[in-house]
Amino acid sequence: KGYTGVVSIAYNRVKGLGAIKILRVDGRRSSLIREAEYMEKAHSTGLPPRLMSYRDFYVFYEYLPLYKCVGFEKLLVELLENNCLPELKQLILQALLKLYKLDLLRVDHTEINRPRGHMYVCGGDIKLLDWESARSSVRPGNVSSFVSYILFRFKRRDELINILGVRVEEALRALIKYKESYSGEDFQRIVSAILPQ
């Protein structure tokens, strides 16, 4: 149960098993169309669950079972605790690449700096849930919010920065340039500062 809707597992005779978000009559929005449209727009990034159908009052999408998914933050902590450096680097790189694609689509998810409850790893693939606050923006903040999260908000950020060898000042300078251009070159500078060779 959320502010806008209630999510449940559902079965459709044609589409099969899925998750359905149903609009609450006492919710803060009058329609779920906008949320579904942003999920549709972001489909090419692989971040949203696969959208199956929607109307004003519901969104029916791919069901991501809990046994196949782990919270992004939880996995980050597990990889740190077990000193799994290659897997840690791969996870962060995958997140950065997918969020860069989302930035290029000019869609801002708006919840990346608080990944708990929004960002999951399902079968090795990163997924973003809860697109109700997503918006179009000429200056989307997906990459910048993620970098802010891992460098400043993550509860074990010092340990993460140390094990990865992050060049923090360089990453922040690269991020400022990136937010002006969204160019591949500036994005690569961010990656190189966070995941130095």
Side-chain angles (χ1 to χ4, degrees), residues 45 47 90-104 126 143 146 178 187-188 191:
T45 66
L47 285 167
Q90 183 55 41
L91 179 66
I92 291 173
L93 179 61
Q94 184 188 12
L96 285 167
L97 289 169
K98 287 194 167 212
L99 294 171
Y100 177 51
K101 288 180 183 176
L102 194 58
D103 275 354
L104 291 180
I126 293 173
V143 168
F146 180 74
Y178 168 79
F187 171 71
Q188 192 53 53
V191 173

Side-chain angles (χ1 to χ4, degrees), residues 7-20:
V7 179
S8 178
I9 297 173
Y11 182 80
N12 179 282
R13 285 180 300 175
V14 177
K15 309 279 186 183
L17 193 67
I20 190 165

Side-chain angles (χ1 to χ4, degrees), residues 6 31 38 84 91 98 103 136-137 166 191:
V6 176
S31 170
Y38 281 115
C84 300
L91 179 66
K98 287 194 167 212
D103 275 354
S136 294
S137 174
V166 178
V191 173

Side-chain angles (χ1 to χ4, degrees), residues 115-129:
R116 186 176 294 176
H118 300 286
M119 201 170 194
Y120 291 85
V121 182
C122 303
D125 196 20
I126 293 173
K127 294 289 182 184
L128 280 178
L129 303 182

